[in-house]
Amino acid sequence: MQADIDRILITRQQIAERVRELALRITADHSPPILDAGEITIVPILTGAVIFTADLIRHMPLAMKIGLITVSSYPGAAVQSKGAQLLGRQLGDIRGRHVLVVDDILDSGGTLRMVVPLLQQYGPAGVKTCVLLRKDRPAARDVPVDYVGFDIPDQFVVGYGLDYDDYYRNLPEIVTLRPSAMGKSP
Ligand code: IMP
Ligand code: MG
């Protein structure tokens, strides 16, 4: 695993600090009297957002529920989006609630462009979006997002929830992989 890492882009300390800052902002934006009606439902987009979400919500002292949605856009060893595909959902009742969609990374924007209208159909009080990473490419900048952790170069990254062929999600940093690691399993 470690031998497959090319470069550490964002360290675990940088991630921890930024996640805490984001959580403070989200909490402020969802606290009375700013939003006095309607609790929040956090909706991580599985699988990539699980680690980010777990860290984020532990800095958010709000009454909240968690809904789940599973989207796949990079099946198997793909390193370019193949189009977002909805694989499952377990949202609970989000009618009248403030929904915060959490994703690991904004790349082509296909995932959020599919998920946000889908959630709107259930009559929530509002839908906001939060991504840990946003790639520096026009498609990503064209999608409005409420909370962004880091803007990064347009490179394929793994770690802290992000995968290559479902591996490397458990790395504590955001890293790039050596070319030799792509195309084989660790
Ligand atoms: P989008 O739909 O193209 O914006 O991409 C969003 C999804 O693609 C994310 O939730 C990730 O699961 C996946 N993804 C995009 N870029 C990367 C990357 O660099 N590494 C790993 N997964 C990525
Ligand atoms: Mg994902």
Side-chain angles (χ1 to χ4, degrees):
M1 274 259 286
Q2 296 302 319
D4 297 337
I5 296 174
D6 178 31
R7 206 161 71 81
I8 296 180
L9 222 60
I10 311 175
T11 65
R12 56 202 300 176
Q13 289 83 358
Q14 289 171 317
I15 296 170
E17 270 172 40
R18 188 68 183 129
V19 167
R20 198 165 159 275
E21 284 171 8
L22 285 175
L24 292 180
R25 269 187 49 210
I26 297 167
T27 302
D29 290 350
H30 292 82
S31 299
I34 299 164
L35 287 182
D36 39 20
E39 284 179 2
I40 187 167
T41 294
I42 309 287
V43 179
I45 300 181
L46 303 184
T47 304
V50 287
I51 293 174
F52 174 36
T53 306
D55 285 346
L56 187 75
I57 63 176
R58 281 178 291 171
H59 293 293
M60 293 174 52
L62 299 171
M64 66 169 66
K65 294 187 179 182
I66 296 177
L68 303 173
I69 196 157
T70 304
V71 175
S72 170
S73 31
Y74 281 52
V79 292
Q80 275 188 348
S81 178
K82 304 287 177 199
Q85 199 195 344
L86 180 70
L87 298 184
R89 76 192 93 169
Q90 190 182 314
L91 291 169
D93 187 3
I94 58 169
R95 181 165 300 279
R97 297 180 66 87
H98 296 283
V99 172
L100 179 71
V101 181
V102 182
D103 206 0
D104 48 5
I105 189 164
L106 178 61
D107 180 21
S108 73
T111 304
L112 289 183
R113 273 200 300 270
M114 178 190 60
V115 166
V116 172
L118 183 113
L119 295 169
Q120 301 277 18
Q121 288 172 12
Y122 296 99
V127 179
K128 287 193 172 174
T129 49
C130 173
V131 296
L132 179 67
L133 308 173
R134 176 170 59 187
K135 282 193 192 170
D136 182 14
R137 54 179 288 199
R141 280 192 302 267
D142 282 352
V143 180
V145 207
D146 296 287
Y147 308 97
V148 178
F150 300 91
D151 282 299
I152 62 164
D154 188 5
Q155 289 177 333
F156 191 79
V157 293
V158 299
Y160 198 70
L162 292 131
D163 71 300
Y164 170 69
D165 199 13
D166 263 326
Y167 291 102
Y168 306 107
R169 295 193 196 274
N170 54 322
L171 289 176
E173 301 97 3
I174 307 283
V175 309
T176 56
L177 288 177
R178 289 181 196 278
S180 58
M182 319 265 242
K184 71 164 179 72
S185 296

